[in-house]
Amino acid sequence: MIEIDNEVGLSHPADRVWRALTDPELLARWFTEVEVVAGARGRLLLCTAGLPGFDAAVDAEVTERREPELLALGCDEAGRRTRLICAITPTADGCRLSVREILEHGAWPAEQRARREEWHQQTLTVRLAAILDWLAFQQVDLRRGELGDTARLPVVEAVADPSAGRRRPVLIAVLAGAVLAAGLAAWAVLPTERQPAAGSDLAPLPVPSAATGETRPQRAAVTARPRTATTSTAARPTRSATTPSHTPTTLAPPVAAVTARYRTASTRIFGYTGEVVLDNSGVARAKGWTVVVTLSKGGTVATANGADWRQDGQAVTFTGPPVPVGGSRTFTFDVRDPDPLTKAPEGCTIGADPCGGATATP
């Protein structure tokens, strides 16, 4: 008789481990997706095709169930029949989970059996443990009002901080006022700078000529006309040549080349801290910037430093003050994610351009 036997000690009570073993949604988080067969009590389809050591999906039937101690399944994997036994034993620190799979009909090649055993060991010691921690955090969160300080997780407290919501509108109002003031100042100054060039192009000399009567035509007729014609023709092209070169600089300055780079600064079981660095390699000071980070489904931003933010579904929009020419700005944000394997957002863009660095593939 061939069998695969794994055992792991867990710092969680037996009822929590039982829930992780029998809840289809939780089972999909740490082992594989499960479909309940309609009209057949106790029948399940484990979507194991493609997992290490598995050839196809497993048709399983619950043969014994003693909550929260024992769960036994009769399994059929494309003609190979096995018996899967999950036993939970309470201990002083939590409980001990034993998972044994016994081959009753068919054969396991040595390499396939080794890969299957390795997969069982990985899911029990890493993925299942992470899901149990997440369930424990949820229970603490729900009982915050009863337990006092022991329930105050940093991430949860940051989400519930009411002052953060008030600070962001104030910062946004200050930034909007600064941008408006800068725009009014530019509007007041730029027309004054452009008027001499426009006046030169429109040749205002005839106006003084009309005001002084016959004096200017007499001087022009005797000695100054050839020289005046030469001077005006030479001066005007020079001014018109200068004006176009001046106009693009004033009216249409080069666009500030602000780019963004993302990296995951730190990770934890159910979340991570993201960091975005903005660089301005252009020749003009940017008025502001907008970075949109797309989180995985269920992810939420708890706090952010160095930027204002708002979340709408999976999209989180960050905004902030201008980036100096040749300089950079950095902001960080903490993400709480229900999937322990998620350690980066699905995407990051600044304007219509993607951020540099490494993000998760959606």
Side-chain angles (χ1 to χ4, degrees), residues 240-321:
S240 61
T242 303
T243 300
S245 63
H246 175 71
T247 301
T249 304
T250 303
L251 297 180
V255 177
V258 179
T259 59
R261 294 175 284 124
Y262 170 83
R263 77 180 185 95
T264 297
S266 62
T267 62
R268 49 193 175 274
I269 295 179
F270 293 102
Y272 56 91
T273 299
E275 178 185 272
V276 175
V277 179
L278 299 134
D279 299 303
N280 184 359
S281 58
V283 296
R285 182 181 178 89
K287 292 184 178 180
W289 47 265
T290 300
V291 172
V292 178
V293 173
T294 304
L295 304 180
S296 59
K297 187 176 182 180
T300 56
V301 169
T303 59
N305 294 316
D308 295 315
W309 62 276
R310 58 181 175 82
Q311 181 166 356
D312 184 9
Q314 293 179 241
V316 185
T317 302
F318 296 91
T319 56

Coordinates of all heavy atoms in Angstrom, one line a residue, residues 240-321:
S240 N 11.2 90.0 -35.8 CA 10.3 88.9 -36.1 C 11.0 87.5 -35.9 O 10.4 86.5 -35.6 CB 9.8 89.0 -37.5 OG 10.9 89.0 -38.4
A241 N 12.3 87.5 -36.1 CA 13.1 86.3 -35.9 C 13.2 86.0 -34.4 O 13.2 84.8 -34.0 CB 14.5 86.4 -36.6
T242 N 13.3 87.1 -33.7 CA 13.4 86.9 -32.2 C 12.1 86.4 -31.6 O 12.0 85.6 -30.8 CB 13.9 88.2 -31.5 OG1 15.1 88.5 -32.1 CG2 14.0 88.0 -30.0
T243 N 11.0 87.0 -32.2 CA 9.7 86.8 -31.6 C 9.3 85.3 -31.7 O 8.8 84.7 -30.7 CB 8.6 87.6 -32.3 OG1 9.0 89.0 -32.1 CG2 7.2 87.4 -31.8
P244 N 9.4 84.6 -32.8 CA 9.1 83.2 -32.9 C 9.9 82.4 -31.9 O 9.4 81.5 -31.3 CB 9.3 82.8 -34.3 CG 9.3 84.0 -35.1 CD 9.8 85.1 -34.2
S245 N 11.2 82.7 -31.7 CA 12.0 81.9 -30.8 C 11.5 82.2 -29.4 O 11.7 81.3 -28.5 CB 13.5 82.3 -31.0 OG 13.7 83.6 -30.6
H246 N 11.0 83.4 -29.1 CA 10.6 83.7 -27.8 C 9.2 83.2 -27.5 O 8.9 82.7 -26.4 CB 10.6 85.3 -27.6 CG 10.0 85.7 -26.3 ND1 10.7 85.5 -25.1 CD2 8.8 86.3 -26.0 CE1 9.9 86.0 -24.1 NE2 8.8 86.5 -24.6
T247 N 8.3 83.2 -28.5 CA 6.9 82.7 -28.3 C 6.8 81.3 -27.8 O 6.1 81.0 -26.9 CB 6.1 83.0 -29.6 OG1 6.2 84.3 -29.9 CG2 4.7 82.5 -29.4
P248 N 7.5 80.3 -28.5 CA 7.3 78.9 -28.0 C 7.8 78.8 -26.5 O 7.2 78.0 -25.8 CB 8.2 78.1 -28.9 CG 8.4 79.0 -30.1 CD 8.3 80.4 -29.6
T249 N 8.8 79.5 -26.1 CA 9.2 79.4 -24.7 C 8.2 79.9 -23.8 O 8.0 79.3 -22.7 CB 10.6 80.2 -24.6 OG1 11.5 79.7 -25.5 CG2 11.1 80.0 -23.1
T250 N 7.5 81.0 -24.1 CA 6.5 81.6 -23.2 C 5.2 80.9 -23.3 O 4.6 80.6 -22.3 CB 6.4 83.1 -23.5 OG1 7.7 83.7 -23.5 CG2 5.4 83.8 -22.6
L251 N 4.7 80.7 -24.5 CA 3.3 80.2 -24.6 C 3.3 78.7 -24.6 O 2.3 78.1 -24.2 CB 2.8 80.7 -26.0 CG 2.6 82.2 -26.1 CD1 2.1 82.6 -27.4 CD2 1.8 82.8 -24.9
A252 N 4.3 78.0 -25.1 CA 4.2 76.5 -25.1 C 5.5 76.0 -24.6 O 6.4 75.5 -25.4 CB 3.9 76.1 -26.5
P253 N 5.8 76.0 -23.3 CA 7.1 75.5 -22.8 C 7.2 74.0 -23.0 O 6.1 73.3 -23.1 CB 7.0 75.9 -21.3 CG 5.6 76.0 -21.0 CD 5.0 76.6 -22.3
P254 N 8.4 73.5 -23.1 CA 8.5 72.0 -23.2 C 7.8 71.3 -22.1 O 7.8 71.7 -20.9 CB 10.0 71.8 -23.1 CG 10.6 73.1 -23.5 CD 9.6 74.2 -23.1
V255 N 7.1 70.2 -22.4 CA 6.4 69.5 -21.4 C 7.3 68.8 -20.4 O 8.4 68.3 -20.8 CB 5.5 68.4 -22.1 CG1 4.8 67.6 -21.0 CG2 4.5 69.1 -23.0
A256 N 7.0 68.9 -19.1 CA 7.9 68.3 -18.1 C 7.8 66.8 -18.2 O 6.7 66.2 -18.2 CB 7.5 68.7 -16.7
A257 N 9.0 66.2 -18.4 CA 9.0 64.7 -18.5 C 9.0 64.0 -17.2 O 10.0 63.7 -16.6 CB 10.3 64.3 -19.3
V258 N 7.8 63.9 -16.6 CA 7.7 63.3 -15.3 C 7.4 61.8 -15.5 O 6.4 61.5 -16.1 CB 6.6 64.0 -14.4 CG1 6.4 63.3 -13.1 CG2 6.9 65.4 -14.2
T259 N 8.2 61.0 -14.9 CA 8.0 59.5 -15.0 C 7.9 59.0 -13.6 O 8.2 59.6 -12.6 CB 9.2 58.8 -15.7 OG1 10.4 59.1 -15.0 CG2 9.3 59.4 -17.2
A260 N 7.4 57.7 -13.5 CA 7.1 57.1 -12.2 C 7.7 55.7 -12.2 O 7.7 55.0 -13.2 CB 5.7 57.0 -11.9
R261 N 8.3 55.3 -11.1 CA 8.9 54.0 -10.9 C 8.2 53.3 -9.6 O 8.2 54.0 -8.6 CB 10.4 54.0 -10.7 CG 11.1 54.5 -12.0 CD 12.6 54.7 -11.7 NE 12.9 55.9 -10.9 CZ 13.6 55.9 -9.8 NH1 13.9 54.8 -9.2 NH2 13.8 57.0 -9.1
Y262 N 7.7 52.1 -9.8 CA 7.1 51.4 -8.6 C 8.0 50.3 -8.1 O 8.7 49.6 -8.9 CB 5.8 50.8 -9.0 CG 5.3 49.9 -7.9 CD1 4.6 50.4 -6.8 CD2 5.5 48.5 -7.9 CE1 4.1 49.6 -5.8 CE2 5.1 47.7 -6.9 CZ 4.4 48.2 -5.8 OH 4.0 47.4 -4.8
R263 N 8.0 50.1 -6.8 CA 8.6 48.9 -6.2 C 7.9 48.5 -4.9 O 7.3 49.4 -4.3 CB 10.1 49.1 -5.9 CG 10.4 49.9 -4.7 CD 11.9 50.1 -4.5 NE 12.2 50.8 -3.2 CZ 12.4 50.2 -2.1 NH1 12.4 48.8 -2.0 NH2 12.7 50.9 -1.0
T264 N 7.9 47.3 -4.6 CA 7.4 46.8 -3.3 C 8.4 47.0 -2.2 O 9.4 46.3 -2.2 CB 6.9 45.4 -3.4 OG1 5.8 45.2 -4.4 CG2 6.3 44.9 -2.0
A265 N 8.2 47.9 -1.3 CA 9.2 48.2 -0.3 C 9.3 47.2 0.8 O 10.3 46.9 1.3 CB 8.9 49.6 0.3
S266 N 8.1 46.6 1.2 CA 8.1 45.6 2.2 C 6.8 44.7 2.1 O 5.9 45.2 1.5 CB 8.2 46.2 3.6 OG 7.1 47.0 3.9
T267 N 6.9 43.5 2.6 CA 5.7 42.6 2.6 C 5.4 42.1 3.9 O 6.2 42.1 4.8 CB 6.0 41.5 1.6 OG1 7.1 40.7 2.1 CG2 6.3 42.0 0.2
R268 N 4.1 41.6 4.0 CA 3.7 40.9 5.2 C 2.7 39.9 4.8 O 2.4 39.7 3.6 CB 3.1 41.9 6.3 CG 2.1 42.9 5.7 CD 1.8 44.0 6.6 NE 0.9 45.0 6.0 CZ 1.3 46.0 5.3 NH1 2.6 46.1 5.0 NH2 0.5 46.8 4.7
I269 N 2.1 39.2 5.8 CA 1.2 38.0 5.4 C 0.1 38.5 4.6 O -0.2 37.9 3.5 CB 0.8 37.3 6.7 CG1 1.9 36.7 7.4 CG2 -0.2 36.2 6.3 CD1 1.5 36.0 8.7
F270 N -0.6 39.5 5.0 CA -1.8 39.9 4.2 C -1.7 41.4 3.8 O -2.5 42.2 4.1 CB -3.1 39.8 5.1 CG -3.4 38.3 5.4 CD1 -3.1 37.8 6.6 CD2 -4.0 37.5 4.4 CE1 -3.4 36.5 6.9 CE2 -4.3 36.2 4.6 CZ -4.0 35.7 5.9
G271 N -0.6 41.6 3.0 CA -0.5 43.0 2.5 C 1.0 43.3 2.2 O 1.9 42.4 2.3
Y272 N 1.2 44.5 1.8 CA 2.6 45.0 1.5 C 2.6 46.5 1.5 O 1.5 47.2 1.6 CB 2.9 44.5 0.1 CG 2.0 44.9 -1.0 CD1 2.1 46.0 -1.7 CD2 0.9 44.0 -1.3 CE1 1.2 46.4 -2.7 CE2 0.0 44.4 -2.3 CZ 0.1 45.6 -3.0 OH -0.8 45.9 -4.0
T273 N 3.8 47.1 1.4 CA 4.0 48.5 1.3 C 4.6 48.8 -0.1 O 5.6 48.3 -0.4 CB 4.9 49.0 2.4 OG1 4.3 48.8 3.7 CG2 5.1 50.5 2.3
G274 N 3.8 49.6 -0.8 CA 4.3 50.0 -2.2 C 5.0 51.4 -2.1 O 4.7 52.2 -1.3
E275 N 5.9 51.6 -3.0 CA 6.7 52.9 -3.1 C 6.7 53.3 -4.6 O 7.0 52.5 -5.5 CB 8.1 52.7 -2.6 CG 8.9 54.0 -2.7 CD 10.4 53.8 -2.2 OE1 10.6 53.9 -1.0 OE2 11.2 53.4 -3.1
V276 N 6.4 54.6 -4.8 CA 6.5 55.1 -6.2 C 7.4 56.3 -6.1 O 7.2 57.2 -5.3 CB 5.1 55.6 -6.7 CG1 5.2 56.3 -8.0 CG2 4.2 54.3 -6.8
V277 N 8.4 56.4 -7.0 CA 9.3 57.5 -7.1 C 9.0 58.2 -8.4 O 9.0 57.6 -9.5 CB 10.8 57.0 -7.1 CG1 11.7 58.2 -7.3 CG2 11.1 56.2 -5.9
L278 N 8.8 59.5 -8.3 CA 8.5 60.4 -9.5 C 9.8 61.2 -9.8 O 10.4 61.8 -9.0 CB 7.3 61.3 -9.2 CG 6.0 60.6 -8.9 CD1 5.4 61.2 -7.7 CD2 5.1 60.6 -10.1
D279 N 10.2 61.2 -11.1 CA 11.3 61.9 -11.6 C 10.9 62.9 -12.7 O 10.1 62.6 -13.5 CB 12.4 60.9 -12.2 CG 12.9 59.9 -11.1 OD1 13.3 60.3 -10.1 OD2 12.7 58.7 -11.4
N280 N 11.5 64.1 -12.6 CA 11.2 65.1 -13.6 C 12.5 65.4 -14.3 O 13.4 66.1 -13.8 CB 10.7 66.4 -12.9 CG 10.4 67.5 -14.0 OD1 10.5 67.2 -15.2 ND2 9.9 68.6 -13.5
S281 N 12.7 64.8 -15.5 CA 13.9 64.9 -16.3 C 13.7 66.0 -17.4 O 14.6 66.1 -18.2 CB 14.3 63.6 -16.9 OG 13.3 63.1 -17.7
G282 N 12.6 66.7 -17.3 CA 12.3 67.7 -18.4 C 13.0 69.0 -18.0 O 13.8 69.1 -17.1
V283 N 12.6 70.1 -18.7 CA 13.1 71.4 -18.5 C 12.1 72.4 -18.0 O 12.3 73.6 -17.9 CB 13.7 72.0 -19.8 CG1 14.9 71.1 -20.3 CG2 12.6 72.0 -20.9
A284 N 10.9 71.9 -17.6 CA 9.8 72.7 -17.1 C 9.3 72.1 -15.8 O 9.2 70.9 -15.7 CB 8.7 72.9 -18.1
R285 N 8.9 72.9 -14.9 CA 8.3 72.4 -13.6 C 6.9 72.0 -13.8 O 6.1 72.7 -14.3 CB 8.4 73.6 -12.6 CG 7.8 73.2 -11.2 CD 7.9 74.4 -10.3 NE 7.4 74.1 -9.0 CZ 8.1 73.6 -8.0 NH1 9.4 73.4 -8.2 NH2 7.6 73.4 -6.8
A286 N 6.6 70.8 -13.5 CA 5.2 70.2 -13.7 C 4.3 70.9 -12.7 O 4.7 71.1 -11.5 CB 5.3 68.7 -13.5
K287 N 3.1 71.2 -13.1 CA 2.1 71.8 -12.2 C 1.6 70.8 -11.2 O 1.1 71.1 -10.1 CB 0.9 72.3 -13.0 CG 1.3 73.5 -13.8 CD 0.1 74.1 -14.5 CE 0.4 75.3 -15.3 NZ -0.8 75.9 -16.0
G288 N 1.6 69.5 -11.5 CA 1.2 68.5 -10.6 C 1.2 67.1 -11.2 O 1.6 67.0 -12.4
W289 N 0.8 66.1 -10.6 CA 0.9 64.7 -11.2 C -0.2 63.9 -10.6 O -0.8 64.1 -9.5 CB 2.3 64.1 -10.9 CG 2.7 64.2 -9.5 CD1 3.5 65.1 -8.9 CD2 2.3 63.3 -8.4 NE1 3.7 64.9 -7.6 CE2 3.0 63.7 -7.2 CE3 1.5 62.1 -8.3 CZ2 2.8 63.1 -6.0 CZ3 1.4 61.5 -7.1 CH2 2.0 62.0 -6.0
T290 N -0.6 62.9 -11.4 CA -1.6 61.9 -11.0 C -1.1 60.5 -11.3 O -0.8 60.2 -12.4 CB -2.9 62.1 -11.7 OG1 -3.4 63.5 -11.4 CG2 -4.0 61.1 -11.3
V291 N -1.0 59.7 -10.3 CA -0.6 58.3 -10.5 C -1.8 57.4 -10.1 O -2.4 57.6 -9.0 CB 0.6 57.9 -9.6 CG1 0.9 56.4 -9.6 CG2 1.8 58.7 -10.1
V292 N -2.1 56.4 -10.9 CA -3.3 55.5 -10.6 C -2.7 54.1 -10.5 O -2.0 53.6 -11.3 CB -4.3 55.5 -11.8 CG1 -5.4 54.5 -11.5 CG2 -4.9 56.9 -12.0
V293 N -2.9 53.5 -9.3 CA -2.5 52.2 -9.0 C -3.7 51.3 -8.9 O -4.7 51.6 -8.3 CB -1.7 52.2 -7.6 CG1 -1.4 50.7 -7.2 CG2 -0.4 53.0 -7.7
T294 N -3.6 50.2 -9.6 CA -4.7 49.2 -9.7 C -4.4 48.0 -8.8 O -3.4 47.3 -9.0 CB -4.9 48.7 -11.1 OG1 -5.2 49.8 -12.0 CG2 -6.1 47.7 -11.2
L295 N -5.1 47.9 -7.7 CA -4.9 46.8 -6.7 C -5.6 45.5 -7.2 O -6.4 45.5 -8.1 CB -5.4 47.2 -5.4 CG -4.9 48.5 -4.7 CD1 -5.6 48.7 -3.4 CD2 -3.4 48.4 -4.6
S296 N -5.2 44.4 -6.6 CA -5.9 43.1 -6.9 C -7.3 43.2 -6.2 O -7.6 44.0 -5.4 CB -5.1 42.0 -6.4 OG -4.9 42.1 -5.0
K297 N -8.2 42.3 -6.6 CA -9.5 42.3 -6.1 C -9.5 42.1 -4.6 O -8.9 41.2 -4.1 CB -10.3 41.2 -6.8 CG -11.8 41.2 -6.5 CD -12.6 40.2 -7.3 CE -14.1 40.3 -7.0 NZ -14.8 39.2 -7.7
G298 N -10.2 43.0 -3.9 CA -10.3 42.9 -2.4 C -9.3 43.7 -1.7 O -9.3 43.9 -0.5
G299 N -8.3 44.2 -2.4 CA -7.2 45.0 -1.8 C -7.7 46.4 -1.4 O -8.5 47.0 -2.2
T300 N -7.2 46.9 -0.3 CA -7.5 48.3 0.1 C -6.3 49.0 0.6 O -5.4 48.4 1.2 CB -8.6 48.3 1.2 OG1 -8.1 47.5 2.3 CG2 -9.9 47.7 0.8
V301 N -6.2 50.3 0.3 CA -5.2 51.1 0.9 C -5.5 51.6 2.3 O -6.6 52.1 2.5 CB -4.9 52.3 -0.1 CG1 -4.0 53.3 0.6 CG2 -4.3 51.9 -1.4
A302 N -4.6 51.4 3.2 CA -4.8 51.8 4.6 C -4.3 53.2 4.8 O -5.0 54.0 5.4 CB -4.2 50.8 5.6
T303 N -3.1 53.5 4.5 CA -2.5 54.8 4.7 C -1.6 55.1 3.5 O -1.2 54.2 2.7 CB -1.6 54.8 6.0 OG1 -0.6 53.8 5.9 CG2 -2.5 54.6 7.2
A304 N -1.2 56.4 3.3 CA -0.3 56.8 2.3 C 0.5 58.0 2.9 O -0.1 58.8 3.6 CB -1.0 57.2 1.0
N305 N 1.8 58.0 2.5 CA 2.6 59.1 3.0 C 3.2 59.8 1.7 O 3.8 59.1 0.8 CB 3.8 58.6 3.8 CG 3.3 58.1 5.2 OD1 2.4 58.7 5.8 ND2 3.8 56.9 5.6
G306 N 3.1 61.1 1.7 CA 3.7 61.8 0.5 C 2.8 62.1 -0.6 O 3.2 62.7 -1.6
A307 N 1.5 61.8 -0.4 CA 0.5 62.0 -1.5 C -0.9 62.0 -0.9 O -1.1 61.3 0.1 CB 0.6 60.9 -2.6
D308 N -1.8 62.6 -1.6 CA -3.2 62.5 -1.3 C -3.8 61.4 -2.1 O -3.3 61.1 -3.2 CB -4.0 63.8 -1.6 CG -3.5 65.0 -0.8 OD1 -3.4 64.8 0.4 OD2 -3.2 66.1 -1.3
W309 N -4.8 60.7 -1.6 CA -5.3 59.5 -2.4 C -6.8 59.3 -2.1 O -7.4 59.8 -1.2 CB -4.5 58.3 -1.9 CG -4.7 57.9 -0.5 CD1 -4.0 58.4 0.6 CD2 -5.7 57.0 0.1 NE1 -4.5 57.9 1.8 CE2 -5.5 57.0 1.5 CE3 -6.7 56.2 -0.4 CZ2 -6.3 56.3 2.4 CZ3 -7.4 55.4 0.4 CH2 -7.2 55.5 1.8
R310 N -7.4 58.6 -3.1 CA -8.8 58.2 -3.0 C -8.9 56.9 -3.8 O -8.3 56.7 -4.8 CB -9.7 59.2 -3.6 CG -9.5 59.6 -5.0 CD -10.5 60.7 -5.5 NE -10.2 61.1 -6.8 CZ -10.6 60.4 -7.9 NH1 -11.3 59.3 -7.8 NH2 -10.4 60.9 -9.1
Q311 N -9.7 56.0 -3.2 CA -9.9 54.7 -3.8 C -11.3 54.5 -4.3 O -12.3 54.8 -3.7 CB -9.6 53.6 -2.8 CG -9.7 52.1 -3.4 CD -9.1 51.1 -2.5 OE1 -8.5 51.4 -1.4 NE2 -9.2 49.8 -2.8
D312 N -11.4 54.0 -5.6 CA -12.7 53.7 -6.2 C -12.6 52.2 -6.8 O -12.0 52.0 -7.8 CB -12.9 54.7 -7.3 CG -14.3 54.4 -7.9 OD1 -15.1 53.6 -7.4 OD2 -14.6 55.1 -9.0
G313 N -13.1 51.3 -6.0 CA -12.9 49.9 -6.4 C -11.5 49.5 -6.3 O -10.8 49.6 -5.3
Q314 N -10.9 48.9 -7.4 CA -9.6 48.5 -7.4 C -8.6 49.6 -7.7 O -7.4 49.5 -7.5 CB -9.4 47.3 -8.4 CG -10.1 46.0 -8.1 CD -9.9 45.0 -9.1 OE1 -10.8 44.5 -9.7 NE2 -8.6 44.6 -9.3
A315 N -9.1 50.7 -8.3 CA -8.3 51.9 -8.7 C -8.1 52.8 -7.5 O -9.0 53.3 -6.9 CB -8.9 52.6 -9.9
V316 N -6.8 53.2 -7.3 CA -6.4 54.1 -6.2 C -5.7 55.3 -6.9 O -4.7 55.1 -7.6 CB -5.5 53.5 -5.2 CG1 -5.3 54.5 -4.0 CG2 -6.2 52.3 -4.6
T317 N -6.2 56.5 -6.8 CA -5.6 57.7 -7.5 C -4.8 58.5 -6.5 O -5.4 58.9 -5.4 CB -6.8 58.5 -8.1 OG1 -7.5 57.8 -9.0 CG2 -6.1 59.7 -8.8
F318 N -3.6 58.7 -6.8 CA -2.7 59.5 -5.9 C -2.3 60.8 -6.6 O -2.1 60.8 -7.8 CB -1.4 58.7 -5.7 CG -1.5 57.4 -4.9 CD1 -1.7 56.2 -5.5 CD2 -1.5 57.4 -3.5 CE1 -1.9 55.0 -4.8 CE2 -1.7 56.3 -2.8 CZ -1.9 55.1 -3.5
T319 N -2.4 61.9 -5.9 CA -2.0 63.2 -6.4 C -1.1 63.9 -5.5 O -1.0 63.5 -4.3 CB -3.2 64.1 -6.7 OG1 -3.9 64.2 -5.4 CG2 -4.1 63.5 -7.7
G320 N -0.3 64.9 -6.0 CA 0.7 65.5 -5.1 C 1.2 66.8 -5.7 O 0.8 67.2 -6.9
P321 N 2.1 67.5 -5.0 CA 2.6 68.8 -5.5 C 3.6 68.6 -6.6 O 4.0 67.5 -7.0 CB 3.4 69.3 -4.2 CG 3.7 68.0 -3.5 CD 2.6 67.1 -3.7

